[in-house]
Amino acid sequence: MPAKARTKPVRVLIAKPGLDGHDRGAKVVARALRDAGMEVIYAGLRQTPEEIVRAAIEEDVDLVGLSILSGAHMALFPKVLRLLQKEKGGKIPVFAGGIIPDEDARRLRRLGIKAIFGPGASLAEIVRTAQELARPHA
Amino acid sequence: MSRARTPSDAEAIFGGDRRALARAITAVESGSETSDDLLRAVYPRTGRVPVVGLTGPLGVGKSSVINLLIAHLRSLGRSVGVVAVDPSSPFSGGSVLGDRIRLERRADDRDVFFRSMASRGAAGGLSATTRDVARLLEAAGFSVVLVETVGSGQVDVAIRSVATTRVVVLVPHLGDEVQTLKAGLFEIADVFCINKSDLPGAETAERDLAELASLGPAPDGWRSRIVRTSTVTPSGIPELWKAIEAHEAFLATSPGHAAERRRRLEEEILGRARDRLTEDLAARLEVDPALRKLVDRVVARELDPGTAAERLLAARRR
């Protein structure tokens, strides 16, 4: 019997805010992060910012990944950041993926989204960024 | 990271601080050095509320049943702490924890706390620390604790030692009645929940289970109840809770229960002592060249593993 594991796997929440119809991309990312040894809490489609923040706090994640295709990112992402702050989770890094125009991406980065991946991003790149972001934050 | 200091962190948990509770669960789950103090502070406040374990094969609808059970309990004014376990990959150690997907929208309800856990290599359908996490939830003031196991095979019965009431969730057409005769999962049910009972075959499943329940020895005097549920219609959830409550009420008056409880705690103490001992021995084996030689000799067939184990233990006593 192996001795009790002392290393703490990275815990990451993957969620889709808003009204997107499918979550293929988010699932592929969840799977890649799993294969990189992370514990991925998959919250699924059509989450409100409140639900996402609640899950992030209860699950005590090291990292939050948001995926969005609908175009509502400028409304929903800042709200997630604001609520995280309010719930004392402001230090949890948030990254995002989806269809996000460059101009919006720049503004979101200024607001505190740590990394943003477009449709062409490689899984290896996403995994590497997630690992870097998940280093101790609290 | 040494966040979970007692007593201040334990007090924050008792006071209903959700962030403190979430962090304490992480500390306990990863065996950080603060977790022992925390569990020491928490233990006296546990052992009072129903800890309901839901187990059963993959895909029978455990998460969906839990979702509806939470809603029912909330309608009765009960607060609910949930811990749901999903498997870790034996290859990468990673895991996708998806039980939250079934959770209905109740973002502002502070009387529900839901935590996902990965099994982290433990067998039996739970992780090694699930029991401690259930205790944290109770100490945080939740009046019912629900524990969902990994979608289990036939012999994943770890929930037996964690829950006060065990619900085995099944669906129609899992097999003929011979399946119900087999050892394992069917033996630990206090309540059988036949889910997806809107599908054909639910009556046959109930009949087969009823026969099983009426045959068996009921050493403690409790006969397993059978409840049909559907999360589509939905139906049967209040009946499921009534069956669980009936079992809890039975425990409160059952003369055998105190002895059983004592036996289980004894098992837990031995288990924890065994874990510590194993860790200690593994650490010695790693650093002590003389002990490493023992392994070499076993590899070379000069010494048998049993004798080597004796010598390892003897080295610890010196």
Side-chain angles (χ1 to χ4, degrees):
Chain A
M1 195 184 109
K4 194 153 110 189
R6 294 290 173 186
T7 48
K8 180 189 164 310
V10 167
R11 287 171 68 86
V12 51
L13 174 71
I14 298 291
K16 286 187 68 73
L19 298 173
D20 288 354
H22 79 74
D23 57 351
R24 174 76 68 81
K27 280 175 178 155
V28 170
V29 168
R31 166 81 199 260
L33 296 174
R34 182 201 84 181
D35 289 342
M38 297 188 186
E39 291 182 359
V40 183
I41 293 97
Y42 190 69
L45 279 165
R46 291 184 283 279
Q47 300 279 304
T48 65
E50 287 81 1
E51 285 159 359
I52 291 169
V53 168
R54 174 172 191 163
I57 298 296
E58 290 184 358
E59 302 286 353
D60 193 26
V61 293
D62 305 294
L63 187 62
V64 174
L66 302 175
S67 156
I68 196 162
L69 306 168
S70 68
H73 47 268
M74 294 311 287
L76 296 171
F77 288 3
K79 192 161 182 202
V80 169
L81 291 173
R82 217 163 43 240
L83 288 170
L84 266 179
Q85 202 85 45
K86 193 176 140 214
E87 297 293 328
K88 300 196 198 99
K91 285 183 179 151
I92 302 172
V94 179
F95 72 104
I99 315 289
I100 297 167
D102 291 348
E103 174 56 24
D104 290 353
R106 273 190 292 278
R107 282 170 62 199
L108 289 169
R109 276 204 197 85
R110 274 201 298 277
L111 287 171
I113 303 281
K114 299 290 184 203
I116 296 173
F117 298 98
S122 78
L123 283 174
E125 192 186 342
I126 296 172
V127 167
R128 193 167 359 96
T129 305
Q131 282 165 334
E132 275 160 25
L133 288 174
R135 302 266 148 75
H137 55 263
Chain B
M1 272 179 287
S2 52
R3 288 196 203 117
R5 281 273 160 244
T6 14
S8 64
D9 262 34
E11 254 146 41
I13 294 169
F14 304 152
D17 181 336
R18 305 169 71 81
R19 186 96 170 112
L21 173 60
R23 285 185 163 175
I25 292 173
T26 304
V28 164
E29 198 182 11
S30 46
S32 82
E33 69 263 36
T34 57
S35 65
D36 289 346
D37 291 341
L38 194 60
L39 292 170
R40 201 172 298 126
V42 156
Y43 187 73
R45 296 181 179 241
T46 62
R48 296 185 188 101
V49 310
V51 179
V52 182
L54 286 97
T55 187
L58 194 74
V60 294
K62 293 183 292 296
S63 302
S64 300
V65 168
I66 284 193
N67 177 47
L68 291 179
L69 202 49
I70 294 171
H72 180 63
L73 287 165
R74 293 298 298 125
S75 77
L76 299 175
R78 307 285 295 262
S79 60
V80 193
V82 187
V83 48
V85 187
D86 269 328
S88 295
S89 162
F91 307 106
S92 70
S95 149
V96 171
L97 310 175
D99 293 320
R100 255 196 125 86
I101 295 180
R102 310 275 171 245
L103 201 58
E104 253 165 59
R105 318 288 131 118
R106 48 179 71 82
D108 57 343
D109 186 353
R110 303 252 143 194
D111 287 321
V112 177
F113 189 100
F114 191 105
R115 180 66 174 242
S116 317
M117 282 183 98
S119 63
R120 298 196 182 173
L126 296 176
S127 88
T129 53
T130 305
R131 173 171 33 210
D132 291 333
V133 171
R135 284 179 181 151
L136 286 174
L137 289 171
E138 180 179 355
F142 294 99
S143 75
V144 179
V145 175
L146 304 178
V147 180
E148 177 183 347
T149 75
V150 169
S152 58
Q154 294 177 306
V155 294
D156 294 339
V157 297
I159 191 68
R160 201 177 57 93
S161 62
V162 173
T164 55
T165 296
R166 276 80 44 134
V167 179
V168 172
V169 185
L170 300 166
V171 290
H173 291 298
L174 269 183
D176 64 17
E177 75 274 14
V178 177
Q179 297 298 338
T180 66
L181 302 176
K182 292 183 181 173
L185 203 56
F186 285 75
E187 292 177 281
I188 61 161
D190 300 309
V191 177
F192 284 107
C193 168
I194 304 173
N195 193 37
K196 308 194 188 181
S197 65
D198 48 300
L199 299 177
E203 277 169 40
T204 315
E206 179 169 357
R207 205 167 48 234
D208 290 346
L209 280 174
E211 212 152 282
L212 167 86
S214 67
L215 280 177
D220 55 357
W222 172 260
R223 291 248 178 244
S224 313
R225 300 251 180 135
I226 304 162
V227 182
R228 277 198 254 165
T229 58
S230 165
T231 57
V232 182
T233 38
S235 68
I237 299 297
E239 291 76 12
L240 175 62
W241 177 246
K242 276 204 192 92
I244 293 165
E245 275 196 311
H247 182 255
E248 293 288 327
F250 164 81
L251 289 181
T253 56
S254 155
H257 179 56
E260 166 65 16
R261 195 173 197 175
R262 188 185 166 86
R263 199 190 52 71
R264 253 192 248 160
L265 289 170
E266 199 176 293
E267 224 170 70
E268 180 179 347
I269 296 166
L270 284 171
R272 284 177 191 268
R274 192 166 49 232
D275 288 350
R276 291 285 164 96
L277 194 59
T278 307
E279 271 176 58
D280 178 59
L281 292 174
R284 281 164 191 269
L285 198 54
E286 200 164 326
V287 298
D288 188 334
L291 294 175
R292 297 215 60 77
K293 275 235 164 53
L294 284 176
V295 182
D296 297 339
R297 292 184 60 205
V298 172
V299 172
R301 291 292 195 279
E302 294 166 15
L303 191 71
D304 69 285
T307 308
E310 287 296 336
R311 295 200 186 156
L312 180 58
L313 281 168
R316 190 174 184 275
R317 285 192 289 271
R318 276 200 297 275

